[in-house]
Amino acid sequence: SGAAGMIGFLEEVSLNAAAGARAGSVPLVSPTARAPGIAADGVYSLEGVDSVGIHALARQAASRGYQRVAFIESTSALSAEEADLFERELLGFGIPTVGRFAYAEGATFFETQIRSARDALRQDEIAALVLTEDDTLHVETLDPVGVFVPVPAEDVELLAPQITHFGLDTLGIEVLGTQGWTDAETLRRVDSRHTDGVVATAAIGSGAQAPGFLRFQEAYEAHFQRTLVSAVPAIGYDAALLLLEALRRGSPTPGPIVEALEGLEDVEGATGVFSVVNGRVLRRTQVVRVEERTLTPIPTG
């Protein structure tokens, strides 16, 4: 009743339900709903598909001369849309996809998907070499190939060690990923040998030393008189920041607020630098290589 906008709806199902239940076009901003795309005006999530980053990742695959790419993905809508987008981008660079292998949400064991991706990428090539058990395989003589794994951070913790276990690295299969692979907490928890060499997208202006986060941390601790120990408040802050920034720029009624939201560009928050592009909230990202839990930017042209 008279609300200029709403923040919350932590999951996709509740965000979609709220979008359908609105009277009018009051804007909704979710900090965490993994929404691949909401079919309603004025509905936003900070956890959508990074279309700009995925294009840059495909360009990096092309620059590496990949001959083919396989996919290991979740059955979640977001993972599927990221995979669809990456596949289209690869085709634009003339790189074929040789298989997409999906696991059910909540799975903890991925042998079938990993072996299937490995065989799709290398089985025919190795068979053509007519190697015996006593032969030594020099992976540097094999085609450059990659496996794209667009999964959330909590799945990376389970999946990354299994990718190592089933020997993708020993066959020179490079891992490409999205921001789940560069999440700071994930990198802290997973042994670095399972993430070294991964090429993935990472948010610019995020992390404990980013200026936006440091400003937020100082304000949070001054206001609440306690130490900031969780990333959750920062995510909620950024959702509120976008709505408040739109309010600052426009009339406090739904139509002008949505119009102002659509015009947001390079808003520096606590977890990244945000713009709204074609109805989606996008963090500014870059392509990086992971080595010893450190992210090294890769120029993609």
Side-chain angles (χ1 to χ4, degrees):
S1 177
M6 302 181 189
I7 301 162
F9 316 107
L10 303 184
E11 297 182 348
E12 182 183 352
V13 62
S14 59
L15 182 59
N16 277 308
R22 291 178 302 171
S25 58
V26 58
L28 312 179
V29 182
S30 169
T32 56
R34 286 174 177 160
I38 305 299
D41 291 336
V43 181
Y44 307 92
S45 174
L46 273 60
E47 294 296 328
V49 173
D50 174 19
S51 56
V52 176
I54 286 176
H55 173 76
L57 195 64
R59 183 179 295 278
Q60 169 63 15
S63 73
R64 289 279 295 128
Y66 283 178
Q67 298 301 297
R68 52 196 173 274
V69 174
F71 291 47
I72 298 173
E73 59 193 88
S74 164
T75 55
S76 73
L78 180 59
S79 182
E81 183 167 343
E82 289 179 330
D84 289 344
L85 177 58
F86 192 61
E87 185 171 34
R88 290 196 297 271
E89 294 284 352
L90 288 177
L91 289 175
F93 288 107
I95 303 172
T97 298
V98 294
R100 290 177 56 170
F101 308 101
Y103 60 86
E105 289 184 80
T108 58
F109 194 57
F110 312 97
E111 178 179 6
T112 298
Q113 292 77 20
I114 295 170
R115 286 185 180 274
S116 296
R118 184 188 66 190
D119 291 346
L121 289 167
R122 290 297 192 207
Q123 190 172 55
D124 291 347
E125 186 181 11
I126 292 175
L129 296 174
V130 196
L131 298 174
T132 70
E133 291 183 2
D134 297 326
D135 290 327
T136 299
L137 176 63
H138 295 283
V139 295
E140 64 271 13
T141 67
L142 299 176
D143 292 339
V145 298
V147 57
F148 180 55
V149 191
V151 301
E154 61 268 22
D155 287 6
V156 170
E157 292 188 34
L158 299 169
L159 188 54
Q162 293 182 45
I163 286 176
T164 303
H165 176 76
F166 291 111
L168 269 65
D169 56 335
T170 64
L171 291 176
I173 298 172
E174 299 182 3
V175 177
L176 305 172
T178 46
Q179 293 179 53
W181 288 87
T182 55
D183 176 78
E185 190 63 19
T186 300
L187 292 176
R188 186 185 68 81
R189 291 176 180 173
V190 177
D191 192 301
S192 61
R193 65 194 173 96
H194 303 311
T195 56
D196 281 354
V198 170
V199 173
T201 57
I204 296 173
S206 64
Q209 300 306 311
F213 181 82
L214 291 173
R215 285 197 299 271
F216 168 70
Q217 181 179 31
E218 181 181 2
Y220 178 95
E221 294 180 349
H223 180 78
F224 290 107
Q225 293 296 298
R226 66 183 182 213
T227 301
L228 177 64
V229 296
S230 168
V232 173
I235 299 169
Y237 168 83
D238 282 348
L241 176 67
L242 294 179
L243 184 55
L244 290 171
E245 184 65 18
L247 279 166
R248 186 180 69 82
R249 299 183 183 191
S251 170
T253 54
I257 293 172
V258 170
E259 185 176 347
L261 276 163
E262 293 291 336
L264 293 182
E265 185 175 358
D266 293 339
V267 177
E268 187 175 42
T271 64
V273 180
F274 297 89
S275 298
V276 178
V277 180
N278 296 326
R280 293 189 175 186
V281 178
L282 299 180
R283 285 181 175 88
R284 189 191 297 170
T285 56
Q286 61 187 341
V287 176
V288 301
R289 182 179 300 278
V290 183
E291 294 290 348
E292 292 292 335
R293 301 188 172 93
T294 299
L295 308 180
T296 302
I298 300 174
T300 57

